[in-house]
Amino acid sequence: MIRRIAVFGLLMFTVAIAWAVIAAEDADSIIEVGLDEEHGVFGIQLTDGRWLTYGGSVGGGGGTMHINFKIDGTIYTTNPYLSGGTTITPEGSIYEEYENIIVTDWYPVDSVQCTQNLHPFSIEGKGAVTIRYNIINHDDSPHEVGVLPVSYTH
């Protein structure tokens, strides 16, 4: 597991912003995925530093891939600037070394659990990341659910 802290400072200000990023890379060290533990956004980059999503995986503080869940007509999002959405933060994020995945859980509605799995891997010298979402309904009522990952750029 690679755990890095990204720190950015502004000129003319003495305040620094820091956040924790969980990062994982494939066994061949080709591709890396990073997750901002506080906000739940993620990014992907090659281990030579080239970005595959805006901001990369670690240098961009976990990247700019925001997740939007639509549950029973309400949008829940990791993007605090999305108009009309309710901002959510992860309930927990862990790195599972055995499977080499980063797992993040959100509970936008008490009875609905949304889990994201980020798994970097390589085949024949080519890197890729599997992004998987599991939605678990913990009650007997049906829910209308949708998931939309969105990459924001500047």
Side-chain angles (χ1 to χ4, degrees):
M1 175 173 123
I2 303 168
R3 187 181 276 282
R4 299 181 185 158
I5 301 293
V7 179
F8 292 88
L10 298 173
L11 298 176
M12 302 174 56
F13 294 98
T14 58
V15 177
I17 300 171
W19 58 87
V21 176
I22 299 174
E25 63 183 46
D26 66 294
D28 295 329
S29 299
I30 296 170
I31 196 163
E32 179 179 71
V33 63
L35 175 90
D36 173 346
E37 290 182 90
E38 182 178 347
H39 302 100
V41 298
F42 70 92
I44 303 168
Q45 72 184 38
L46 299 176
T47 54
D48 66 7
R50 291 180 287 164
W51 296 351
L52 299 180
T53 59
Y54 186 79
S57 65
V58 178
T64 55
M65 290 294 297
H66 290 273
I67 311 308
N68 301 289
F69 301 103
K70 187 173 184 181
I71 301 172
D72 298 329
T74 302
I75 296 172
Y76 300 91
T77 180
T78 59
N79 182 357
Y81 306 107
L82 180 66
S83 177
T86 300
T87 303
I88 57 172
T89 55
E91 296 289 326
S93 298
I94 60 167
Y95 172 75
E96 293 185 0
E97 187 172 359
Y98 178 73
E99 295 183 27
N100 191 39
I101 60 174
I102 299 173
V103 179
T104 306
D105 285 314
W106 291 272
Y107 294 86
V109 176
D110 287 338
S111 61
V112 179
Q113 175 184 352
C114 301
T115 301
Q116 170 184 266
N117 295 320
L118 304 171
H119 174 230
F121 66 97
S122 58
I123 299 173
E124 297 178 3
K126 308 287 189 228
V129 176
T130 299
I131 304 166
R132 185 178 73 195
Y133 294 92
N134 295 321
I135 310 298
I136 301 170
N137 185 4
H138 291 286
D139 68 16
D140 294 331
S141 301
H143 297 278
E144 188 174 289
V145 178
V147 179
L148 177 65
V150 178
S151 179
Y152 289 92
T153 62
H154 295 281

